[in-house]
Amino acid sequence: MSDTVAEESTGKKPGWRKVLTSLSQPKTGYMLLFGFAAGLPYALLLGTLYAWLSDAKVDLETMGVFSLIGLSYAFKFLWSPALDRIDLPLLRRLGKRKQWIVTAQIFLGIALVTLSMLNPVTALGWFSLLAGIGAFMSATQDVVIDAWRVDVADDVATIDILSTVYQMGYRLAALAGGALALILAERIGWPQVYLLMGGILLVVGILGLWAPDADAKASEVLDADDEHGLRQAGQLQPKIRGLALLAVGALWGWALIIVGVFMVQSLGSNPELRPDSVQFITTMGPLIVIATVVVPAFIAALLVKLERSGSYKLEQAQPSRTVGDRALDHLYRALVLPLTEFVGRMGWSLVLVLALVLTYRITDSVWGTFAYPFYLGELQYTKDEVAFASKFFGVGAVVLGLALGGYLLTVLGRMMTLLLGAILAALTNLLYADLSIGGYGLAAASRFSGFTWLAETLGGDERMSKLLLAIGLENLAIGIAGAAFVAWMSSIVAKGYSAVQYALLSSLTMLVGTLGRGALGQMIEERGYYDVFILTTLIGGIAVVLVIFEWIRISRKGKDSGIDETALKNA
């Protein structure tokens, strides 16, 4: 799906009727199911698992063996080209995306069930290995589900609604795999919890067999065009494509080796020899991004320039004759074509797009690490208070925000909702700035709105009402911004190349937040939380400005393409 806005032109201003029609589609129901399946292993492997290890008296140093788990999600784009092109034996008939989705879900279900049978103390090696492989499959599932969402979207089950429903499922899974898992573990034990969650994923995998998939004919046409079109007259010479593939392949191969070596070292039995994950991401993260995104983008731009200038073109068709020729074409389609398509279609606009991707959610991703130290250490709330406010009340606010964001997408359009989400996400940082210096503004707002009365009725006090109000409003903004952001990112990638292109964009949003946490932590120690929240508000303001520029870009492109004003409003 390209970034054009014609696809959304309906001639009418959409509203609840269009939302309800979209929600009634089977695709939307499966999107909710797949969102839940994506969020559950992430919560269980990246968060809740540490609670199990703590109860099992596994020391913190030994827990460092699980540092590789987060990297699977941060660098999932590295193996995304394979997911776009490799078919699983006997499963291709399920569909290009479904073959991987169903396989990953069933594998994850088996992995969680197997984990429930292991003792994390006596079998830590197998336990950590299985958790790491599970995280790899979970990240793989994320890549393919994102691609499935882009590929199956249509005028009824729109990309905006599918993106919103996906995140709702994901958030509900975070609640089930987080707070609910903790509650159940107190009553039935950790092995039984993971057995139950594994069984749920197995059921989802079986149900996924009946999910609709992308149009098989469209995929076959794309594959055929790629296979024969690369060697037709007027296409780039195989030698040039081979050099480009060698350069990009070497860079991505280097990145895969670096990440793979780190993972193997993290699984070592000697804690002293295990690398530090934070230091790895801080030092190697930027280099990996440069090697796999920046430099390949320049190579793709050069290829696009050569294509448009007429240089190094085949004067006549040159069919593939050897296994090497076919391997070159296959690898080029998997790794380089998604980049050249993206760069060729976006042009210099790609700089604006990447800047927006890097900044839109940075305040949330950077600040999230310090939320608990802020609540528990700085503000001295109890663990029970924070758990209720962030896990139950907060998740409810996010889901409400997602529902509101999905509706706004149909009423205001994608870019207006994206702009509104950026503004609200930036301004909610001021709520925490107020909370860090006493929360007097929040207290006044809480009393005026009746929120204090509600908190006291439920057994709390004004101090608790301030925390609930701040978390509630922030998560409401996160829901609106998240719905718009995922819908926008999904709209700018191309069907057929969605796995690679979307995985690149989503990985960048995760990596940039990780890279900024060290500097933010140092600033908290030196200047306190108030200055940090003012800074994150200003960073959010940068995203607001970039959204405006992106809106102008899309509007201009729509006018150049002859798209009417109604379509632009719906963009």
Side-chain angles (χ1 to χ4, degrees), residues 21 66 68 204 226-227 240 266 297 383 413 428 455 478:
T21 302
F66 295 93
L68 79 161
V204 172
D226 286 345
E227 181 179 354
I240 299 300
S266 297
K383 292 180 180 178
T428 52
I478 286 175

Side-chain angles (χ1 to χ4, degrees), residues 400-431:
L400 179 61
L402 287 169
L404 180 57
Y407 177 67
L408 292 176
L409 283 167
T410 66
V411 174
L412 301 180
R414 187 180 300 142
M415 295 309 299
M416 176 61 82
T417 308
L418 190 69
L419 178 61
L420 179 63
I423 294 172
L424 293 176
L427 292 180
T428 52
N429 284 274
L430 297 178
L431 299 176

Side-chain angles (χ1 to χ4, degrees), residues 238-258:
K239 179 178 66 174
I240 299 300
R241 291 192 291 108
L243 290 174
L245 176 62
L246 179 63
V248 175
L251 291 169
W252 280 55
W254 170 81
L256 272 171
I257 291 172
I258 292 296

Side-chain angles (χ1 to χ4, degrees), residues 438-478:
Y440 301 108
L442 277 169
S446 180
R447 288 192 296 268
F448 178 77
S449 63
F451 207 77
T452 299
W453 171 84
L454 179 62
E456 291 174 345
T457 302
L458 297 175
D461 52 20
E462 184 176 84
R463 181 171 173 273
M464 187 64 180
S465 72
K466 292 189 295 184
L467 180 64
L468 290 173
L469 187 59
I471 290 179
L473 290 175
E474 183 206 25
N475 285 9
L476 191 68
I478 286 175

Side-chain angles (χ1 to χ4, degrees), residues 93-149:
R93 66 183 64 182
L94 293 177
K96 181 178 179 181
R97 307 302 184 191
K98 276 175 55 183
Q99 61 177 331
W100 285 103
I101 293 175
V102 172
T103 300
Q105 288 168 353
I106 292 178
F107 186 94
L108 282 165
I110 294 173
L112 291 177
V113 169
T114 307
L115 274 177
S116 71
M117 301 175 182
L118 297 177
N119 187 323
V121 176
T122 59
L124 183 62
W126 285 107
F127 197 86
S128 60
L129 178 62
L130 193 59
I133 295 174
F136 174 81
M137 291 303 298
S138 177
T140 298
Q141 177 190 219
D142 287 356
V143 172
V144 191
I145 288 177
D146 288 333
W148 181 87
R149 181 178 66 248

Side-chain angles (χ1 to χ4, degrees), residues 384-403:
D384 288 341
E385 289 172 335
V386 173
F388 173 77
S390 63
K391 295 298 183 184
F392 289 99
F393 185 79
V395 170
V398 170
V399 172
L400 179 61
L402 287 169

